[in-house]
Amino acid sequence: MEKKPITIIGMPMDLGQGRRGVDMGPSAIRYASAQALLQKLGYEVEDLGDLHVPSPESKSAGDPKLKYLNEIRDVCEKLAETVSGVIARDRFPLVLGGDHSMAIGTIAGAAAQYENMGVIWYDAHGDLNTGETSPSGNIHGMSLAVSLGIGHPDLVNIGGFAPKVRPEHTVIIGARELDPGERDLIGQLGIKVFTMHEIDRLGMARVMEEAIGIVSNGTDGVHLSLDLDGLDPKDAPGVGTPVPGGVTYRESHLAMEMLAEAGIVTSAEFVEVNPILDRENQTAKVAVALMGSVFGQKVL
Ligand SMILES: NC(=[NH2+])NCCC[C@H](N)C(=O)O
Ligand SMILES: [Mn+2]
Ligand SMILES: [Mn+2]
């Protein structure tokens, strides 16, 4: 497999949800030796450092249905430009987060460079709310909907075009907590969701075969958006919105190994790592271990 050089971008985003500390996620992932691992695997790696994100204490949240909308729009615009520029230089953007609202920017940037991009959303949640359906007003619960062109126009139109991805090229893996409005949207759009039920029933290997088929059928790029809360909180405790009964560490490695084998992933982000809620940086270490598998690390 071709080893495209990697560019790490830190996104200390914590405006998209209510628990402080997730802005330290990028540092925690770097501290868990992400760059050294990737270099050991034979990649050339550059790290652009962190983009600037204003701290929530210095701003007012504004509309309680879309908290920090203006700030999130601005930082996602900047992230989109950065990601797009990295791909234009023929490098692989690897974005470290940060809460999941950042995916609005990452996906906007990647989608600017691909005609038809597939998305793998690895998450306990659907992140398919809008300002109207969200129970929390937290934009990290809306980022997939926005990328599909549904939600507040300021977010939907980031990068100057919409939608970024199509429902038929989108899969959600690991879902186990969906709000009523998200369920409706899934039915309306026909998005393929591999809930924990399908993972238990079919096994991760079969789920990934199907998922890879969907995101690579008729696409020229695939983005992996991995929310660490997709994993079981026993394996990844340092997340702001943990949900029991999640994907195991082993199943997650298998999923990432199968993606590496398929050779389809063209951009990735690892999000929602919150060191304040973690135990001895375990969740960042899990993120880095999974990163290894995505980039082709094998036991033998
Ligand atoms: N990226 C996440 N962790 N999202 C959690 C979203 C939780 C809930 N569905 C909400 O909209 O508030
Ligand atoms: Mn999420
Ligand atoms: Mn989640």
Side-chain angles (χ1 to χ4, degrees):
M1 204 186 91
E2 176 215 5
K3 294 203 168 168
K4 198 173 270 227
I6 297 168
T7 297
I8 294 174
I9 304 159
M11 192 62 182
M13 173 77 106
D14 75 341
L15 300 160
Q17 46 79 60
R19 305 184 73 173
R20 301 283 72 84
V22 71
D23 57 314
M24 291 185 276
S27 309
I29 297 172
R30 288 192 182 94
Y31 187 69
S33 306
Q35 185 162 2
L37 173 65
L38 298 170
Q39 284 166 338
K40 204 182 80 189
L41 293 172
Y43 291 87
E44 190 247 294
V45 188
E46 70 174 2
D47 187 338
L48 298 184
D50 287 351
L51 296 187
H52 175 71
V53 180
S55 78
E57 289 82 8
S58 70
K59 305 275 172 187
S60 108
D63 183 354
K65 286 174 167 300
L66 287 151
K67 296 175 189 162
Y68 301 104
L69 171 65
N70 296 339
E71 291 76 15
I72 291 173
R73 177 200 57 215
D74 292 350
V75 297
C76 282
E77 281 283 6
K78 184 84 190 90
L79 177 60
E81 273 169 41
T82 308
V83 167
S84 173
V86 166
I87 300 171
R89 287 195 287 129
D90 204 26
R91 304 180 65 94
F92 184 110
L94 172 59
V95 193
L96 314 179
D99 78 58
H100 217 166
S101 63
M102 64 191 262
I104 296 169
T106 312
I107 290 175
Q113 296 287 335
Y114 296 100
E115 287 291 311
N116 261 309
M117 196 174 74
V119 168
I120 299 172
W121 199 267
Y122 202 89
D123 202 325
H125 309 94
D127 297 342
L128 286 167
N129 277 302
T130 63
E132 289 76 48
T133 65
S134 170
S136 62
N138 292 331
I139 293 179
H140 79 154
M142 310 181 193
S143 33
L144 183 54
V146 165
S147 303
L148 291 159
I150 296 157
H152 196 286
D154 282 5
L155 299 175
V156 164
N157 295 320
I158 281 173
F161 66 101
K164 274 53 179 195
V165 287
R166 297 217 299 237
E168 59 269 34
H169 297 147
T170 303
V171 298
I172 299 174
I173 299 172
R176 53 196 183 275
E177 188 176 89
L178 297 167
D179 299 315
E182 298 185 285
R183 286 203 199 98
D184 291 347
L185 198 58
I186 288 166
Q188 249 169 275
L189 299 177
I191 300 172
K192 184 68 189 175
V193 184
F194 297 97
T195 70
M196 290 314 299
H197 176 87
E198 280 74 39
I199 295 172
D200 290 341
R201 191 148 186 168
L202 306 173
M204 186 55 101
R206 176 74 196 282
V207 164
M208 287 311 294
E209 278 164 18
E210 286 187 29
I212 288 166
I214 294 167
V215 297
S216 58
N217 182 21
T219 60
D220 55 350
V222 173
H223 176 68
L224 169 66
S225 198
L226 192 142
D227 183 331
L228 269 296
D229 73 29
L231 278 86
D232 193 274
K234 287 201 274 304
D235 292 320
V239 296
T241 47
V243 188
V247 190
T248 67
Y249 180 71
R250 281 302 336 148
E251 288 169 325
S252 299
H253 265 298
L254 176 62
M256 299 305 121
E257 286 162 2
M258 288 180 73
L259 287 177
E261 267 171 38
I264 55 171
V265 179
T266 47
S267 53
E269 64 196 329
F270 288 78
V271 310
E272 295 283 348
V273 174
N274 187 332
I276 287 184
L277 305 170
D278 208 1
R279 285 196 297 268
E280 296 177 341
N281 216 29
Q282 187 185 337
T283 305
K285 288 178 193 160
V286 167
V288 171
L290 295 179
M291 226 174 252
S293 288
V294 176
F295 288 101
Q297 186 171 42
K298 285 189 190 141
V299 179
L300 189 69

